[in-house]
Amino acid sequence: EADIYQTPRYLVIGTGKKITLECSQTMGHDKMYWYQQDPGMELHLIHYSYGVNSTEKGDLSSESTVSRIRTEHFPLTLESARPSHTSQYLCASSEWVGGGPSETQYFGPGTRLLVL
Amino acid sequence: QKEVEQDPGPLSVPEGAIVSLNCTYSNSAFQYFMWYRQYSRKGPELLMYTYSSGNKEDGRFTAQVDKSSKYISLFIRDSQPSDSATYLCATQAGTALIFGKGTTLSVSS
């Protein structure tokens, strides 16, 4: 079973506030990801990291930023939240499993963000 | 054209039915195909994966890939109410996974 945690699970916040979504994994995985998921839509990759001090933007443009100071921790920050940021944010980490996809990704439970 | 297309459903079946979930993809270079299951208010969990063409079976679940038609399928035999979830197909392109929109399945007892 995957050990990847996200907090908070639900967040309702006003426009203009700064927010940080936390993601931690205890599996020692080097690679970590943030996806955005809207109802009835595909998951879209917004950020990923290959390891400490490595961060890259994903396919979907996002105003959020990420940091990777420790292997187990990959927080996502929005400096000034807007209603357009309302979505579900999913964190994932991955390992390479021999004989399988090079990216076997394990997902956290997600954070549902509502910006009023 | 989206790289992975999936009919979002919803799909409702009675307990014990055989369920067929399907996706199409556009890029013939894709090699790995995955099925994730996502319960309400949870993150996706990997159900099974297949490489290239062929079938893979795991208990009541069978994943099938037809590369000639760029078609991937997940079959669920003897469906159970606990199978009620959203099923996401995915393929790997470089670093990222490309997901379909997911098909919501409801199995009634």
Side-chain angles (χ1 to χ4, degrees):
Chain A
E1 186 172 321
D3 294 317
I4 182 163
Y5 309 98
Q6 291 186 245
T7 56
R9 293 293 312 278
Y10 305 93
L11 180 61
V12 181
I13 202 161
T15 297
K17 299 292 186 182
K18 178 180 179 179
I19 60 171
T20 296
L21 308 184
E22 301 288 349
C23 175
S24 295
Q25 50 97 3
T26 59
M27 298 171 282
H29 291 169
D30 285 327
K31 297 182 182 179
M32 296 189 73
Y33 313 81
W34 277 102
Y35 289 87
Q36 189 171 335
Q37 184 182 33
D38 294 314
M41 300 299 290
E42 302 89 339
L43 277 78
H44 286 289
L45 183 68
I46 51 175
H47 297 284
Y48 61 96
S49 167
Y50 284 143
V52 171
N53 294 326
S54 153
T55 60
E56 301 286 345
K57 288 189 177 295
D59 301 325
L60 183 68
S61 175
S62 173
E63 294 167 344
S64 58
T65 58
V66 292
S67 62
R68 189 88 184 275
I69 298 173
R70 303 197 315 267
T71 298
E72 63 272 21
H73 194 215
F74 191 40
L76 180 146
T77 298
L78 278 165
E79 290 293 333
S80 180
R82 293 208 296 270
S84 60
H85 297 139
T86 294
S87 187
Q88 173 163 256
Y89 293 85
L90 288 159
C91 181
S93 69
S94 73
E95 61 177 355
W96 185 81
V97 178
S102 62
E103 299 294 333
T104 299
Q105 295 192 10
Y106 300 93
F107 284 84
T111 294
R112 287 183 179 269
L113 173 65
L114 173 60
V115 183
L116 302 175
Chain B
Q1 181 186 10
K2 289 185 185 258
E3 292 187 282
V4 178
E5 299 266 14
Q6 183 175 10
D7 184 344
L11 183 62
S12 294
V13 300
E15 184 175 356
I18 297 173
V19 176
S20 172
L21 305 170
N22 308 294
C23 292
T24 59
Y25 62 94
S26 59
N27 191 335
S28 58
F30 294 150
Q31 297 276 36
Y32 285 106
F33 304 93
M34 287 143 273
W35 284 96
Y36 279 81
R37 178 174 61 195
Q38 186 174 21
Y39 289 113
S40 181
R41 311 286 187 206
K42 303 280 189 183
E45 57 177 333
L46 181 65
L47 200 56
M48 53 197 308
Y49 67 86
T50 53
Y51 175 71
S52 194
S53 281
N55 292 359
K56 186 172 184 178
E57 189 173 319
D58 184 1
R60 296 184 293 109
F61 298 87
T62 299
Q64 190 174 78
V65 177
D66 182 345
K67 293 206 80 178
S68 62
S69 58
K70 299 191 185 71
Y71 202 78
I72 56 177
S73 302
L74 178 70
F75 299 96
I76 307 174
R77 292 185 300 280
D78 187 24
S79 56
Q80 303 295 309
S82 58
D83 296 328
S84 298
T86 296
Y87 291 81
L88 304 145
C89 61
T91 187
Q92 185 175 339
T95 300
L97 297 183
I98 301 173
F99 287 88
K101 288 184 179 181
T103 300
T104 299
L105 172 67
S106 176
V107 181
S108 55
S109 56

